[in-house]
Amino acid sequence: MAQKNLTAKVSFWKQQEEEHKQKQLINPFSSWEGASHRQKLSKEDEHYGRPVEGSKTEFRGKMAGEMVSHEIIELCCVLRNLGHQQGNGNYHITFRDLFEAYTKISNKLVGMLMRARKQNLVEFEGEMLWQGRDNFVVIALLKETLAILPPPVPGQ
């Protein structure tokens, strides 16, 4: 019985070793001597800069992306609730007013604004917003964005 148990453990660790070797063969950063026939990276490859499909890294990346998307939608809701609607349908608020209200919600306001602008959800002038210097920069929540937001909650 003990011999059978030991054989199973040895077999398990041999399998783990072989799987690790195979991963090192395709790892472009491996310094392992046996990795001489590893894949060369090409920027044209559709998998370039992407995690291995089905890996924990891919899963964590997707989860992080979902969290950021939720935070951006929350930011847009705050913009809609605190901003003033303009004649063109956009909502406007100054950076200072948004910053003062948003610090109670999150410390990532500028990063979320940059991400939202990249996704064409908001507009503002300048590359980066700085507290103090850019207090009176107007941030516009674009009217097209309103279609993806949940309906406003009365009393907010």
Side-chain angles (χ1 to χ4, degrees):
M1 182 73 164
Q3 181 65 26
K4 192 174 185 180
N5 199 10
L6 181 60
T7 305
K9 286 181 181 180
V10 169
S11 174
F12 170 78
W13 286 110
K14 287 283 187 192
Q15 181 183 355
Q16 293 294 317
E17 177 187 19
E18 188 57 38
E19 286 176 11
H20 180 72
K21 281 183 183 179
Q22 292 304 315
K23 287 180 183 176
Q24 291 304 308
L25 286 174
I26 62 170
N27 180 350
F29 305 107
S30 174
S31 59
W32 182 55
E33 295 170 9
S36 61
H37 43 306
R38 60 184 172 212
Q39 297 175 350
K40 295 286 184 191
L41 295 178
S42 168
K43 290 186 179 181
E44 287 75 38
D45 184 1
E46 66 183 40
H47 300 293
Y48 181 81
R50 304 262 181 225
V52 175
E53 206 169 305
S55 67
K56 289 180 183 179
T57 302
E58 180 190 39
F59 175 75
R60 287 189 295 265
K62 286 180 180 179
M63 293 301 295
E66 286 180 24
M67 286 174 47
V68 168
S69 295
H70 288 296
E71 286 190 42
I72 289 173
I73 288 178
E74 181 181 9
L75 169 63
C76 291
C77 288
V78 170
L79 280 164
R80 178 188 58 201
N81 294 340
L82 297 178
H84 304 284
Q85 191 168 22
Q86 305 300 301
N88 62 2
N90 294 345
Y91 284 79
H92 288 188
I93 189 169
T94 64
F95 178 60
R96 178 177 63 184
D97 292 341
L98 181 61
F99 188 88
E100 288 173 0
Y102 208 78
T103 53
K104 294 173 183 68
I105 300 169
S106 172
N107 61 353
K108 301 175 254 188
L109 174 62
V110 175
M112 289 297 120
L113 282 170
M114 303 288 280
R115 202 49 105 76
R117 178 169 64 179
K118 191 174 183 180
Q119 296 176 14
N120 296 316
L121 302 174
V122 300
E123 283 182 348
F124 56 88
E125 288 191 24
E127 281 295 311
M128 178 70 81
L129 294 172
W130 300 95
Q131 186 183 11
R133 184 188 82 181
D134 295 319
N135 280 348
F136 299 103
V137 170
V138 174
I139 300 166
L141 175 67
L142 304 178
K143 67 179 177 186
E144 296 82 15
T145 306
L146 297 174
I148 66 165
L149 298 180
V153 177
Q156 280 191 352

